[in-house]
């Protein structure tokens, strides 16, 4: 199976993959005032950098899919080294955590009802008292 192997600095590499995956991701995210012209939202705001290796199963009709996480590290610093390899393997590492994925709504009417419900729940917040 296709897998990603992620290593942060000299930590042991973590291999993410599963027989029932439909999505596999590795992300490196930096949030905050990253450049000198970026607006600082709060005076105590610090730059946060994290790396994540995750995925989404694709199990088919009637079987709940899951968001899976093999590796997540917050507090990555400038100078840290992250290595990502795309590999084939039959022995990925165990999943660190998972959560049930919401079923994608393909039905136009169901999507409309979802949006309508969200609108009425947030209406006062964005439009003021009606």
């Amino acid at each position: 199976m296709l897998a990603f192997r992620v290593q942060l600095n000299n930590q042991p590499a973590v291999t993410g993959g599963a027989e029932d995956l439909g999505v596999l991701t590795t992300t490196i995210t930096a949030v905050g005032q990253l450049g000198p012209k970026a607006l600082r939202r709060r005076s105590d705001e610090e730059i946060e950098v994290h790396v994540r290796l995750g995925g989404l199963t694709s199990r088919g009709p009637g079987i709940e899919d899951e968001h899976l996480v093999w590796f997540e590290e917050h507090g990555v610093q400038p100078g840290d080294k992250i290595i990502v390899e795309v590999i084939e393997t039959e022995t990925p590492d165990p999943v660190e955590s998972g959560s049930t994925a919401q079923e994608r709504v393909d039905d136009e009417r169901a999507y409309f009802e979802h949006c309508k419900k969200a609108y009425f729940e947030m209406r006062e917040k964005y439009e003021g008292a009606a």
Side-chain angles (χ1 to χ4, degrees):
M1 75 190 74
L2 187 75
F4 292 166
R5 180 179 294 141
V6 177
Q7 183 178 19
L8 174 61
N9 296 322
N10 294 321
Q11 296 178 17
V14 177
T15 301
E19 293 179 350
D20 59 354
L21 275 186
V23 176
L24 182 61
T25 64
T26 298
T27 57
I28 303 167
T29 306
V31 178
Q33 186 181 14
L34 305 179
K37 293 184 179 181
L39 175 65
R40 189 173 210 153
R41 304 260 180 227
R42 299 181 324 263
S43 62
D44 63 340
E45 179 181 61
E46 293 186 23
I47 294 174
E48 298 174 24
V49 181
H50 67 273
V51 60
R52 183 177 189 271
L53 170 59
L56 175 64
T57 61
S58 181
R59 296 178 175 152
I63 306 171
E64 283 188 339
D65 284 313
E66 290 182 276
H67 292 281
L68 305 175
V69 178
W70 285 270
F71 175 77
E72 189 160 28
E73 181 72 37
H74 295 267
V76 177
Q77 298 294 317
D80 285 345
K81 184 176 180 182
I82 301 168
I83 299 171
V84 179
E85 294 178 83
V86 180
I87 63 170
E88 291 277 345
T89 187
E90 297 303 316
T91 56
D93 289 320
V95 171
E96 182 180 291
S97 67
S99 61
T100 302
Q102 290 184 344
E103 188 171 333
R104 195 173 116 207
V105 179
D106 288 328
D107 178 33
E108 188 176 80
R109 181 67 187 187
Y111 181 66
F112 169 77
E113 293 298 334
H114 164 77
C115 292
K116 185 170 96 176
K117 179 181 175 201
Y119 168 75
F120 284 114
E121 287 175 357
M122 295 185 281
R123 181 180 181 184
E124 188 172 321
K125 178 179 178 180
Y126 292 104
E127 293 181 2

